[in-house]
Amino acid sequence: MTHSEENYIKAIFHLGFEGLEVISTNALAERMETKPSSVTDMLKRLSEKGLVHYKKYQGASLTDLGIKTALSIVRKHRLWEVFLVEKLDFNWDEVHEIAEQLEHIKSEKLIDKLDELLNYPKLDPHGDPIPDKNGELMEAHKQLLSQMPINTSGICVGVKDSSAAFLRFLDKNNIALGNKIKIVEKEEFDNSVRVLIDHRQLHLSQQIAANLYIKKINM
Amino acid sequence: MTHSEENYIKAIFHLGFEGLEVISTNALAERMETKPSSVTDMLKRLSEKGLVHYKKYQGASLTDLGIKTALSIVRKHRLWEVFLVEKLDFNWDEVHEIAEQLEHIKSEKLIDKLDELLNYPKLDPHGDPIPDKNGELMEAHKQLLSQMPINTSGICVGVKDSSAAFLRFLDKNNIALGNKIKIVEKEEFDNSVRVLIDHRQLHLSQQIAANLYIKKINM
DNA sequence: ACATATATTTAGATTTGTCTAAATTATTTA
DNA sequence: TAAATAATTTAGACAAATCTAAATATATGT
Ligand SMILES: [Mn+2]
Ligand SMILES: [Mn+2]
Ligand SMILES: [Mn+2]
Ligand SMILES: [Mn+2]
């Protein structure tokens, strides 16, 4: 498999996880930052290789083989992310790009040994679960701030909306990935939330809360 | 730069180190396990990019930029080899193939951090020097076992042939880098040598002696 | 149901990296 | 030095991955 094929497989997998039953050409093109015509070409190739189900105009979905393949790439991606943060002191917002390259290195022994070195981690630095050697995938341990119950605590681990506007808002309010956050109160009327971040009280609108991912921690 | 371009640059660099002033199309084709016509195509591209000096029928050599590029790839390759052996318990005969992939990962910070994690190693697992961040390459003051005079002593510091077959032979005979070795006798007839390694008498063929690097020590 | 808008595919082109077969240049040998 | 041999380049082809522009199919609205 080429890097490109692997990237497409992974994108289809993730779009599937985000709720889509069947992936449309345009959705995949947008995700891959490429043109729909390129996607059509690739879907034909992947279909030939038995990695996706694809019928003209009907969209695509992964075959069992495709799912297995995707899980193995995701496993590599997330293990490398852990390595970069745990062993090389990278900040967790710097690791994705590099893992995007490292996930394509071909060596089963390498990834097994890496897993061992890292002590068989269950989660990557963003709170996403790491598939095990057999492709078993734990449920995600992160959820949107808007979905967390009152009096629970967690750590800011990601954003759903990564637009400049939203990120600037977070900067301006000193909300950074890694910050501990506690839900103090939820306003029924507008679904806004009062939270504690680093001993500061903040009042966040529903829009904000619905775009900030929190990794639960045990208090 | 593509992986392929980087592999060509590295091959030209190594052929240069092995004595060739100017690299012929055929020599490069053999090293790259490809066809001479493919090499011609690539040399034109690399020349366009200012990485090699190339004139039709006159062979090729690296420009200053080409040398700088080669050193950076070699640095990455050898650092990853050290990582695989030191941190992931790979045997020295298993690391080359994987390093061949890892050397193409693009991230300056990654390689700096890796260097730090490994404690700024000077040599890779095969005794080859690792270029530093500025492209300084240590002089290898080593010579082939086959070139050492009788009754001199030294330490095994590297291999010329780093094929798995040769490395496994060394393992099987308990010859490791760092071992002290003394040349006891040379057989004129077949150029084989009798040596003492760790108080063991060994008889090594010319083929072996011509592929094992020894660093002389004062007795 | 039909026109319009949207989504998707096809056709044809481009780049990279490779190949085979043929042509050309350089080198060696007699 | 002329012929033979070896090395190298060119010509033309192919697969992968991409693009633009045009054609076609699907979905939507009135
Ligand atoms: Mn990738
Ligand atoms: Mn991640
Ligand atoms: Mn390589
Ligand atoms: Mn090496």
Side-chain angles (χ1 to χ4, degrees):
Chain A
M1 290 203 68
T2 66
H3 289 197
S4 189
E5 286 171 342
E6 291 187 345
N7 287 334
Y8 272 95
I9 290 292
K10 196 160 59 98
I12 297 169
F13 179 81
H14 282 135
L15 285 167
F17 248 73
E18 287 160 27
L20 301 177
E21 273 292 304
V22 135
I23 311 311
S24 74
T25 301
N26 270 7
L28 193 46
E30 192 180 342
R31 179 62 58 101
M32 295 295 297
E33 295 182 303
T34 186
K35 303 293 169 189
S37 56
S38 304
V39 171
T40 301
D41 289 346
M42 182 57 90
L43 287 179
K44 283 178 186 168
R45 268 200 298 282
L46 293 175
S47 173
E48 294 267 304
K49 296 195 180 191
L51 292 158
V52 305
H53 299 294
Y54 170 65
K55 287 252 168 57
K56 271 198 209 181
Y57 295 102
Q58 302 304 128
S61 62
L62 292 178
T63 62
D64 285 352
L65 177 59
I67 291 169
K68 212 187 109 189
T69 305
L71 283 165
S72 131
I73 304 165
V74 168
R75 169 172 163 78
K76 290 193 274 180
H77 183 104
R78 292 180 179 166
L79 279 175
W80 279 117
E81 285 189 343
V82 173
F83 169 74
L84 292 172
V85 167
E86 295 290 315
K87 298 296 175 182
L88 297 191
D89 289 317
F90 272 78
N91 204 293
W92 64 339
D93 61 349
E94 310 172 289
V95 298
H96 184 79
E97 262 183 88
I98 303 177
E100 201 59 46
Q101 300 178 59
L102 285 164
E103 72 191 356
H104 303 291
I105 303 291
K106 266 108 196 144
S107 166
E108 208 183 318
K109 180 166 180 180
L110 171 60
I111 216 64
D112 289 348
K113 286 288 193 175
L114 191 65
D115 199 15
E116 185 186 339
L117 175 75
L118 301 171
N119 234 290
Y120 311 103
K122 294 270 187 296
L123 299 174
D124 83 0
H126 313 106
D128 294 311
I130 300 172
D132 69 16
K133 208 168 144 50
N134 308 311
E136 279 326 308
L137 187 59
M138 228 175 65
E139 215 174 285
H141 274 210
K142 70 181 183 187
Q143 61 187 133
L144 291 171
L145 173 56
S146 55
Q147 294 168 338
M148 290 189 67
I150 288 183
N151 276 322
T152 53
S153 288
I155 291 175
C156 304
V157 290
V159 291
K160 187 176 175 190
D161 171 10
S162 59
S163 69
F166 184 49
L167 298 179
R168 267 202 306 274
F169 170 89
L170 294 179
D171 283 347
K172 204 164 58 190
N173 290 279
N174 283 304
I175 301 171
L177 300 191
N179 282 162
K180 206 178 140 209
I181 187 167
K182 180 176 182 177
I183 290 74
V184 175
E185 194 185 341
K186 295 181 97 163
E187 183 55 63
E188 289 287 327
F189 174 63
D190 63 356
N191 288 308
S192 62
V193 292
R194 279 176 208 286
V195 300
L196 262 173
I197 295 184
D198 285 344
H199 311 293
R200 287 175 296 123
Q201 267 256 9
L202 279 171
H203 187 196
L204 303 173
S205 72
Q206 199 274 336
Q207 261 212 282
I208 304 302
N211 280 297
L212 190 56
Y213 279 117
I214 310 296
K215 182 165 91 182
K216 260 198 220 163
I217 52 175
N218 308 332
M219 291 294 290
Chain B
M1 289 203 69
T2 65
H3 290 198
S4 190
E5 287 171 340
E6 291 187 345
N7 286 334
Y8 272 95
I9 290 292
K10 196 160 59 94
I12 295 170
F13 178 81
H14 283 134
L15 286 168
F17 247 74
E18 288 161 23
L20 301 178
E21 272 295 304
V22 135
I23 311 312
S24 75
T25 302
N26 271 7
L28 193 47
E30 192 180 343
R31 180 61 60 101
M32 295 296 297
E33 295 181 304
T34 185
K35 302 294 168 188
S37 56
S38 304
V39 170
T40 300
D41 289 346
M42 182 57 89
L43 286 178
K44 283 179 187 166
R45 268 200 295 283
L46 294 175
S47 173
E48 294 267 304
K49 296 194 179 189
L51 292 158
V52 304
H53 299 294
Y54 170 65
K55 289 251 167 59
K56 271 199 207 180
Y57 295 101
Q58 304 301 126
S61 62
L62 293 178
T63 63
D64 285 353
L65 178 59
I67 292 169
K68 211 186 111 189
T69 306
L71 283 165
S72 131
I73 304 165
V74 167
R75 170 172 162 79
K76 290 193 274 181
H77 183 103
R78 293 181 178 164
L79 279 175
W80 279 116
E81 284 189 343
V82 173
F83 169 74
L84 293 171
V85 168
E86 295 291 314
K87 298 295 176 183
L88 297 190
D89 289 317
F90 273 78
N91 201 289
W92 69 339
D93 64 346
E94 308 172 292
V95 298
H96 184 79
E97 264 183 88
I98 304 176
E100 201 57 48
Q101 299 177 60
L102 286 163
E103 71 191 355
H104 304 291
I105 303 292
K106 265 110 196 144
S107 167
E108 206 182 319
K109 180 166 180 179
L110 171 59
I111 215 65
D112 289 347
K113 287 287 192 176
L114 191 64
D115 198 16
E116 184 187 339
L117 176 74
L118 301 172
N119 234 292
Y120 310 103
K122 294 268 185 299
L123 300 175
D124 84 356
H126 312 105
D128 294 310
I130 299 172
D132 70 15
K133 207 168 145 49
N134 308 312
E136 273 334 302
L137 188 58
M138 222 178 68
E139 189 55 51
H141 43 259
K142 62 188 183 183
Q143 63 185 131
L144 291 171
L145 172 54
S146 55
Q147 293 167 339
M148 291 189 68
I150 287 184
N151 275 323
T152 54
S153 288
I155 290 174
C156 304
V157 289
V159 290
K160 185 176 176 193
D161 170 10
S162 60
S163 69
F166 183 51
L167 299 179
R168 269 201 303 273
F169 169 88
L170 296 178
D171 285 345
K172 204 165 58 190
N173 290 89
N174 283 302
I175 302 172
L177 299 192
N179 283 163
K180 207 179 137 206
I181 187 167
K182 180 177 182 178
I183 290 72
V184 175
E185 193 186 340
K186 295 181 97 165
E187 183 55 64
E188 290 288 327
F189 176 63
D190 63 355
N191 289 308
S192 62
V193 291
R194 280 177 208 286
V195 300
L196 262 174
I197 296 184
D198 284 346
H199 310 294
R200 287 176 297 122
Q201 266 257 8
L202 278 172
H203 187 196
L204 303 174
S205 72
Q206 199 274 335
Q207 261 213 281
I208 305 302
N211 280 296
L212 188 57
Y213 280 116
I214 310 298
K215 182 167 91 184
K216 259 196 218 160
I217 53 176
N218 310 331
M219 289 295 292

